Amino acid sequence: MQDPSRRPDLDQQATAESYMLPSAQPVQLVDPDGRHVHNDKYPLPDGEALLAAYRELVVGRRVNDQANALVRQGRMAVYPSSHGQEACQVAAAVCIDKQDWLFPTYRDTVAVLARGVDPIQALTLLRGDWHSGYDPYEHNVSIQATPLATQLLHAVGVAHAAKLKGENTVVVAMCGDGATSEGDFHEALNFAAVFHVPVVFFVQNNQYAISVPLHHQTVAPSLAHKAIGYGMPGERVDGNDLAALLSVLGKAVERARDGGGPALVEAHTYRMQSHTNADDATRYRKDDEVQQWVSKDPIQRMRTYLTDLNLLDEEVEKNIAEKAETVAAAMRDGLNAESEVDPEDLFRYVFTEKTSQLLEQAAKLRDELAREPA
């Protein structure tokens, strides 16, 4: 349980609540025109860090576009694109250290790749071959969760275990705005706050839970305001501003690592494309609404800012584009190759010690496959 001595007494309530409440407007350090916006609380990351993150941003956009093409070509079953949300994806991946853990959702493929996971292994899930194709322990990236908010509880469990073991580990738990209406979201935040575990809940508010707009989900002033109800600080950030995301998330991660406990960060962004290839977004939102977010694109504003700093020129941009094309080519080669299917995998990974029923079924299948065609 939480140490009662850490709870603010009545005289300290106003100070504690003021600290936990998010800023009135989402934190922004680089505006849509690529100009620096001063903020007393959050420093601007240095230029080299921004350039490194910008590289991942460009690669992430290329990954999204290539994955969508592969879906249309029938090489993948489904792809929930994060087109327009790449700044959130990159910031979540690079704000943590190697020993930390990332718990992504089905839309967070770009974040998973930014942590170093092989693209083909990551996309195996969305191809429909396996429930995740990578080893979570290799890069400390949990499998991409399809059920809403379930991964938040797993993230809290890992953070709690790390605390009990005395490890210097921080967990970033990702979810969308739709997940904040799930019971698992509330249970995860409450447990994290009561047990004071090192986890940062990162909500990408892209305005829609499939076809349900945010105002039909909640009447809270913001999703970040929900944090104070559990006794943790909340913060709002421009989800298309890579610099602001790195600063806000970085501060939350540093606070958690220093024993400050959990925090909730809400990124205000927009899902530029349909929920998935199985969705038609034109049935529930207008084109002019989408167009309003085009000018807020995270890549264009960071490109302008870095160019003005003389950190980005045609040669550097060309090198970044070539890296993105290399990743896209690897995706095409890997996903255009036919999968090698072993029917006995149906039984191989169900139990460590197979039941008699499974052994019998496997033997029957083996016998069927060994017979000559009629």
Side-chain angles (χ1 to χ4, degrees), residues 311-348:
L311 289 171
L312 189 63
D313 56 23
E314 289 186 6
E315 186 64 26
V316 176
E317 192 77 80
K318 179 184 175 185
N319 292 338
I320 295 173
E322 287 176 352
K323 178 186 176 184
E325 285 305 318
T326 299
V327 174
M331 290 170 61
R332 291 193 298 273
D333 292 343
L335 293 168
N336 280 325
E338 295 297 332
S339 301
E340 295 183 9
V341 179
D342 182 350
E344 292 207 35
D345 281 346
L346 286 169
F347 311 100
R348 187 165 289 138

Side-chain angles (χ1 to χ4, degrees), residues 76-316:
M76 289 173 58
V78 65
Y79 185 71
S81 177
S82 62
H83 185 113
Q85 300 177 222
E86 291 93 346
C88 296
Q89 300 282 299
V90 172
V94 305
C95 74
I96 50 179
D97 294 336
K98 186 176 181 180
Q99 78 274 14
D100 299 330
W101 273 86
L102 185 73
F103 279 74
T105 75
Y106 55 85
R107 197 178 299 284
D108 300 325
T109 301
V110 170
V112 171
L113 302 192
R115 284 284 283 175
V117 176
D118 180 83
I120 306 307
Q121 292 181 4
L123 292 170
T124 295
L125 166 69
L126 301 171
R127 190 183 193 184
D129 287 353
W130 286 91
H131 185 43
S132 179
Y134 56 87
D135 178 0
Y137 292 97
E138 185 176 356
H139 297 283
N140 283 8
V141 179
S142 181
I143 60 173
Q144 291 180 259
T146 302
L148 290 186
T150 55
Q151 78 282 1
L152 302 182
L153 291 165
H154 305 157
V156 170
V158 168
H160 186 45
K163 180 183 177 183
L164 291 176
K165 291 190 286 187
E167 296 176 349
N168 187 27
T169 300
V170 175
V171 177
V172 170
M174 305 177 73
C175 70
D177 47 284
T180 64
S181 295
E182 295 284 335
D184 287 356
F185 172 83
H186 302 283
E187 294 165 13
L189 267 69
N190 192 56
F191 188 100
V194 170
F195 287 89
H196 207 65
V197 301
V199 59
V200 176
F201 298 98
F202 182 40
V203 181
Q204 292 177 76
N205 173 10
N206 66 14
Q207 314 301 323
Y208 285 92
I210 305 182
S211 59
V212 179
L214 184 67
H215 66 270
H216 282 179
Q217 278 198 73
T218 179
V219 293
S222 76
L223 298 176
H225 277 80
K226 293 177 181 286
I228 193 171
Y230 301 100
M232 70 176 75
E235 186 57 284
R236 310 169 70 191
V237 59
D238 182 338
N240 288 14
D241 180 355
L242 180 61
L245 284 159
L246 290 173
S247 188
V248 171
L249 282 173
K251 186 171 183 176
V253 168
E254 181 182 2
R255 177 181 173 276
R257 200 182 307 283
D258 290 343
L264 170 64
V265 175
E266 176 192 8
H268 294 253
T269 184
Y270 194 78
R271 196 192 72 214
M272 297 299 293
Q273 300 178 340
S274 295
H275 175 66
T276 68
N277 49 297
D279 174 43
D280 179 5
T282 63
R283 300 185 65 176
Y284 52 84
R285 66 183 190 186
K286 304 292 186 182
D287 285 344
D288 57 354
E289 178 185 310
V290 180
Q291 288 303 312
Q292 291 177 16
W293 284 85
V294 171
S295 62
K296 302 175 184 176
D297 186 81
I299 293 181
Q300 185 55 50
R301 77 168 71 179
M302 192 48 56
R303 178 181 293 139
T304 302
Y305 179 74
L306 292 172
T307 301
D308 290 345
L309 284 182
N310 293 321
L311 289 171
L312 189 63
D313 56 23
E314 289 186 6
E315 186 64 26
V316 176

